[in-house]
Amino acid sequence: MRVLDHLLKAVRDAAVFNPEVQVAPACILWPDRDRQWEAVIPVLQAELPELMILGDYAPEKRIGPAIWLRCVIAGRAEDVSLPKDRTPIFYLPGVSRQDLRAVESCPDHLKSLAELQYRGVIWSQINAKDWTILAYLKSDQGGLGLDVAQDNDAKNAMQLALYRLLDEDVSLLKGKRLDKDYFNTLLTGGDPIRDLLQWLDQGDAFQASRGENEWKAFVEVCKSQLAFNPQAEGVLAGSTKLANHEGPWHAVWERYCEAPKRYPNIPAQIRKCRPPSDTIFWHMGDGSFDGWPQWNDDQEKNLHRDLMALAKAPTHEARAKIKELEKQHGRRRSLVWAELGDAPLACAVEHLTTIAEITKSGLAAGSVDDLAAGYRSHGWQVDDGVIRALAQVESSADFDAVTTAIRSVYLPWVEESARYLQKMVDGASYPGGTCLTAKAAPFSPGDCVLFVDGLRFDTGKRLVGSLEACGFEISEEPTWTALPSVTATGKAAVTPVRDKIRGEDGSPDFEPSVADTGQSLKGGYHLKKLLTDSGWSILERSADGDGQGMAWCEFGDIDHEGHDRGWKLAKHIEALIVEVTDRITELLAAGWKRVRVVTDHGWLLLPGGLPKIDLPSALADNKWGRCASLKPGATSEERLYPWYWNPNQYFALADGVSCFKKGEEYTHGGLSLQECLTLQLTVTRGESAQAAASVEFTDVVWKGLRCTVAVDGNFSGLSLDVRSQAGNSLSSVVVGSKPLKDNGTASVVVEDEDMEGREATVVLVDANGSLVAQIATVIGGGNT
């Protein structure tokens, strides 16, 4: 029960009487000579309709002079009505009980109330003294019986914080010492550390937004608990103490580190302060100066210098140096400056260390199968490390430092691996084979094949992690791409109709054709026609189908983003993977038993550009980044390989990881593990998701903008939503999702009437927010 509830009951209980020996009191008088309770009387009036106040005439506020109060008791005050079952309560600010008793000397304006002390009752202590705030809180006879400090500071703070105290639970106050710190803290909102951080962040604006009493209470709390006077010492002195976080300021620093983005101006405030003069250990990174952003800046500058120095270091020395730098700077990733994005190189060095560690073991020995096994087990993590390291940086200076480190240890490793693979593979022994030797993949009803352009092995691994987090089951199948590793050749090779495709002689753009008619697949029309003629549904980018038969769809912009952005693809990979995850989620929710994720090729990404190799234009009909179609009769020193779709037609591939074009950071088309060994996935619902999936819509009805659905099956714990994008919870168009009732029905209302007539998706989601079922609809469009 709140203090307010106890107070209301105590005042009203003053009117309790024994009807067998007493008459009902005419009123309850509440004298308050020092006006201690005056500030909270409006709060009490909201709870006590019978509470009237002695004062200047203002009947709309239930305030009036003594004679008016007498009229209220007599029922003659037309401007106010009393509850019939309540005894009137008259609050008398500035009046003591003794003032009423001394009738002869009673002020004129009170004389008409004097006789009410006999017809009514006075709410007072058992010793007949007026109730003060302290007495009421402390007394165990009619009061709350709390442990309250009695010094003047506590009394002053108590009065200022009274309106906040009314909402406190009495049971939680029992056994607690209520002193000036408690009341001041209560007045400032109950969280002095948060208030202190807000003041450091906002400066004068913080004080301006607080009332005078709240500001005074805040200052008193800081003085008492931190030995710090915000009023006298100012924001910069406080910022210095925060940066040093010694003694009681350690708790303030810990709190700041929990949510630094709530206080965006604090780093700038600390930067205005002068760090300690004794900086003998400043560069040692021992934790003494963690609170100073200037120290972190210096650490980043040192790391930048050391990474740039790797440009001249032998590879083995570069690996050792990177590991040493990780030991020096790794702990900064756990500091607040990393969370605020001010330690990008410290974050990047974690991934540079992964690269340095794994590249100690080269992939340039054994058979082709040995190379593939090594790449599948650990080699892909090197490529993933490159992407993750690059994703940390923003500035050109930081990019240069990370690029230098990557090139010092990654380039020799990937170059050696590619050259060895090319040496092992002659034209006839490429493990991906040709259209004449490659085995066709089996498909069955319920399959939806999702083509993702440029899903490299490491990005495929990221996708696996993202899908597993959603509760799906995934089987992985490493797959060699078709040569050359470009979309024109590779996409057709992973379609269910590749047996109906061949390559025409003299095709310079690696684009195959329909085997029966010779029509080029360029542009996609004839490929889609082959699929539909073979019984496959084509799902456009936003369509989900109904889970019946077999379907082909395309999604994902990894390759497009790579060609457009170069190394900056690294900063967008995670978002692209999330998009693909959402698309797979939608397809499974639409009823497909399996989503088979396929891709056409991987890619090489090297910040700063791949090595350039020359191929005279006179020899090539068509020259891409890593492959070239030679003119009839032309000869070249580059290795020649048969085209996947026509083994009689050969093309040239660049050696190692070289590129026929200058300055290319992202490219593909050649022969390397990164370009040619990909990961195909088969995604199905996990066991829990399978159980939840046994639900189907039996009715979807629109009445205006209200959508009502009925479902059958295992719908326990599911909720209904309507979205413009099924997999994106932020695209909801309704006022709020609603749980399904026990009878399998629910209704939601669309917020915006302008949405009427637009296409949307009705979805069912589980408690984790995962899609369980969905069905297309038209908002306001009646039955679907």
Side-chain angles (χ1 to χ4, degrees):
M1 185 182 291
R2 298 175 301 168
V3 171
L4 175 61
D5 301 321
H6 278 273
L7 180 60
L8 298 177
K9 185 176 186 301
V11 176
R12 279 176 167 168
D13 283 354
V16 174
F17 67 101
N18 184 349
E20 295 184 1
V21 296
Q22 295 173 298
V23 296
C27 64
I28 301 170
L29 299 177
W30 181 352
D32 182 13
R33 184 189 65 183
D34 297 329
R35 298 177 179 266
Q36 291 193 9
W37 301 94
E38 190 171 26
V40 298
I41 290 300
V43 177
L44 272 62
Q45 271 193 312
E47 304 287 338
L48 298 171
E50 69 271 29
L51 176 59
M52 310 291 159
I53 304 171
L54 175 68
D56 294 334
Y57 184 64
E60 70 281 1
K61 297 180 180 179
R62 287 184 263 159
I63 303 175
I67 191 64
W68 178 78
L69 295 177
R70 290 291 298 272
C71 291
V72 169
I73 294 177
R76 299 293 180 87
E78 296 180 356
D79 44 18
V80 68
S81 59
L82 287 171
K84 294 181 180 179
D85 58 343
R86 292 294 182 187
T87 302
I89 303 170
F90 294 159
Y91 172 68
L92 311 176
V95 178
S96 71
R97 180 171 182 154
Q98 295 304 317
D99 292 334
L100 296 176
R101 284 190 169 182
V103 177
E104 298 81 4
S105 59
C106 182
D108 290 342
H109 74 279
L110 295 178
K111 284 183 178 179
S112 56
L113 294 179
E115 64 91 16
L116 290 179
Q117 65 184 305
Y118 306 111
R119 287 201 295 130
V121 294
I122 298 177
W123 183 57
S124 62
Q125 300 182 57
I126 195 170
N127 60 6
K129 291 183 178 181
D130 295 346
W131 277 114
T132 62
I133 299 172
L134 174 62
Y136 182 69
L137 296 178
K138 193 170 182 63
S139 174
D140 55 8
Q141 293 184 314
L144 299 179
L146 301 174
D147 180 10
V148 186
Q150 300 184 60
D151 59 276
N152 288 333
D153 287 342
K155 290 178 181 178
N156 292 335
M158 178 195 314
Q159 177 136 12
L160 293 175
L162 180 58
Y163 73 96
R164 293 276 179 87
L165 184 65
L166 292 179
D167 284 329
E168 295 297 291
D169 191 317
V170 174
S171 64
L172 298 179
L173 298 177
K174 296 286 187 181
K176 183 181 292 186
R177 177 66 171 173
L178 307 186
D179 56 13
K180 66 173 183 178
D181 284 349
Y182 172 80
F183 293 117
N184 282 327
T185 299
L186 189 64
L187 181 59
T188 59
D191 193 342
I193 292 181
R194 178 203 61 200
D195 292 340
L196 177 58
L197 289 171
Q198 287 182 342
W199 173 68
L200 292 174
D201 181 65
Q202 300 169 14
D204 292 341
F206 175 87
Q207 181 177 353
S209 68
R210 299 304 194 269
E212 182 180 355
N213 291 339
E214 291 182 20
W215 171 253
K216 288 180 180 178
F218 167 69
V219 171
E220 290 301 319
V221 169
C222 289
K223 286 164 61 177
S224 175
Q225 298 187 8
L226 297 168
F228 174 73
N229 187 334
Q231 184 83 52
E233 299 181 66
V235 168
L236 294 187
S239 299
T240 298
K241 289 181 178 293
L242 178 67
N244 289 325
H245 50 269
E246 296 172 347
W249 283 84
H250 183 74
V252 184
W253 175 253
E254 293 269 316
R255 180 71 169 276
Y256 171 64
C257 292
E258 288 175 4
K261 293 179 182 177
R262 290 184 181 178
Y263 315 100
N265 299 314
I266 283 182
Q269 299 284 36
I270 299 177
R271 289 180 191 279
K272 297 175 185 176
C273 306
R274 184 175 181 178
S277 57
D278 180 15
T279 57
I280 188 170
F281 299 111
W282 183 262
H283 299 294
M284 295 184 62
D286 66 346
S288 304
F289 302 98
D290 287 357
W292 292 91
Q294 298 95 315
W295 167 82
N296 178 70
D297 294 344
D298 276 1
Q299 294 290 305
E300 282 288 291
K301 289 177 184 176
N302 294 341
L303 179 53
H304 179 275
R305 177 200 63 210
D306 291 339
L307 290 175
M308 292 297 292
L310 298 178
K312 299 178 180 179
T315 300
H316 69 283
E317 290 183 8
R319 290 195 185 101
K321 183 62 176 178
I322 288 173
K323 293 177 187 178
E324 179 185 326
L325 293 174
E326 166 65 9
K327 291 179 181 179
Q328 293 177 17
H329 297 275
R331 62 174 295 275
R332 286 198 292 120
R333 289 193 294 274
S334 64
L335 302 182
V336 66
W337 313 119
E339 184 173 345
L340 292 174
D342 292 334
L345 295 181
C347 294
V349 80
E350 174 185 15
H351 307 296
L352 295 176
T353 303
T354 298
I355 299 170
E357 183 64 36
I358 298 178
T359 55
K360 283 194 308 184
S361 303
L363 290 178
S367 65
V368 173
D369 288 343
D370 293 332
L371 294 187
Y375 189 75
R376 293 197 307 266
S377 68
H378 58 271
W380 65 270
Q381 297 176 47
V382 177
D383 299 308
D384 183 65
V386 170
I387 297 298
R388 292 183 186 274
L390 289 170
Q392 305 300 321
V393 300
E394 293 287 347
S395 72
S396 58
D398 289 341
F399 167 70
D400 289 343
V402 171
T403 294
T404 300
I406 289 173
R407 295 182 74 90
S408 70
V409 292
Y410 177 69
L411 179 55
W413 178 82
V414 72
E415 175 77 26
E416 182 183 42
S417 168
R419 288 188 178 277
Y420 186 82
L421 176 63
Q422 293 161 9
K423 177 182 176 182
M424 295 295 293
V425 174
D426 60 31
S429 62
Y430 173 65
T434 68
C435 63
L436 303 179
T437 60
K439 296 180 180 178
F443 296 99
S444 55
D447 283 350
C448 179
V449 179
L450 177 65
F451 172 77
V452 181
D453 194 352
L455 186 69
R456 193 169 72 166
F457 198 99
D458 55 308
T459 55
K461 283 289 191 179
R462 278 213 209 188
L463 179 58
V464 168
S466 178
L467 291 167
E468 287 179 339
C470 295
F472 298 127
E473 292 183 356
I474 304 101
S475 65
E476 306 174 24
E477 183 181 354
T479 304
W480 291 92
T481 66
L483 277 185
S485 51
V486 295
T487 300
T489 289
K491 180 178 177 180
V494 294
T495 65
V497 292
R498 69 180 181 187
D499 59 325
K500 304 180 185 324
I501 300 170
R502 290 293 181 270
E504 295 289 311
D505 290 337
S507 175
D509 55 5
F510 309 115
E511 196 80 56
S513 306
V514 179
D516 290 343
T517 65
Q519 294 167 311
S520 173
L521 299 185
K522 193 170 187 177
Y525 171 79
H526 290 291
L527 177 60
K528 290 181 178 179
K529 189 173 187 305
L530 277 179
L531 287 163
T532 54
D533 289 348
S534 300
W536 286 78
S537 301
I538 305 295
L539 301 180
E540 298 302 336
R541 191 175 183 88
S542 60
D544 301 319
D546 56 7
Q548 303 301 309
M550 297 179 292
W552 167 271
C553 61
E554 302 174 18
F555 190 84
D557 296 317
I558 297 174
D559 190 42
H560 176 78
E561 292 286 321
H563 286 296
D564 278 358
R565 298 180 183 273
W567 77 266
K568 290 187 177 180
L569 168 66
K571 303 184 74 64
H572 299 270
I573 279 289
E574 193 62 36
L576 295 171
I577 293 299
V578 169
E579 289 180 357
V580 176
T581 300
D582 290 344
R583 181 66 174 130
I584 293 170
T585 301
E586 292 169 5
L587 291 168
L588 289 171
W592 296 103
K593 294 179 182 178
R594 290 166 297 278
V595 175
R596 299 184 182 272
V597 182
V598 299
T599 192
D600 47 356
H601 56 75
W603 30 271
L604 290 170
L605 186 145
L606 184 68
L610 292 159
K612 170 74 163 57
I613 189 171
D614 288 326
L615 178 68
S617 298
L619 299 178
D621 271 338
N622 196 350
K623 185 165 59 174
W624 297 26
R626 294 266 293 146
C627 60
S629 176
L630 300 180
K631 291 181 178 179
T635 59
S636 170
E637 295 181 0
E638 308 301 324
R639 287 193 173 92
L640 300 181
Y641 298 86
W643 182 28
Y644 177 88
W645 292 110
N646 185 345
N648 296 318
Q649 182 171 330
Y650 283 75
F651 57 91
L653 295 183
D655 272 349
V657 292
S658 298
C659 184
F660 293 135
K661 297 180 180 180
K662 184 178 180 181
E664 293 286 302
E665 292 180 321
Y666 171 99
T667 192
H668 55 89
L671 177 56
S672 68
L673 291 166
Q674 287 73 17
E675 296 165 282
C676 296
L677 188 59
T678 61
L679 197 61
Q680 294 192 0
L681 309 175
T682 300
V683 188
T684 57
R685 291 181 173 274
E687 292 183 6
S688 58
Q690 289 284 11
S694 59
V695 60
E696 63 178 270
F697 291 95
T698 58
D699 210 1
V700 178
V701 177
W702 286 93
K703 290 185 179 179
L705 294 178
R706 177 176 291 278
C707 176
T708 302
V709 305
V711 302
D712 273 344
N714 182 16
F715 53 78
S716 176
L718 302 184
S719 295
L720 170 68
D721 197 1
V722 180
R723 302 173 177 176
S724 56
Q725 298 173 325
N728 182 1
S729 62
L730 298 179
S731 72
S732 175
V733 297
V734 300
V735 176
S737 61
K738 293 293 178 63
L740 292 171
K741 300 176 183 177
D742 292 342
N743 62 358
T745 66
S747 294
V748 289
V749 177
V750 173
E751 263 185 312
D752 184 358
E753 357 182 278
D754 292 339
M755 296 291 295
E756 187 167 5
R758 297 188 187 181
E759 293 182 353
T761 307
V762 177
V763 301
L764 298 179
V765 296
D766 62 19
N768 297 319
S770 299
L771 279 179
V772 171
Q774 66 186 66
I775 188 171
T777 190
V778 175
I779 296 174
N783 295 358
T784 59

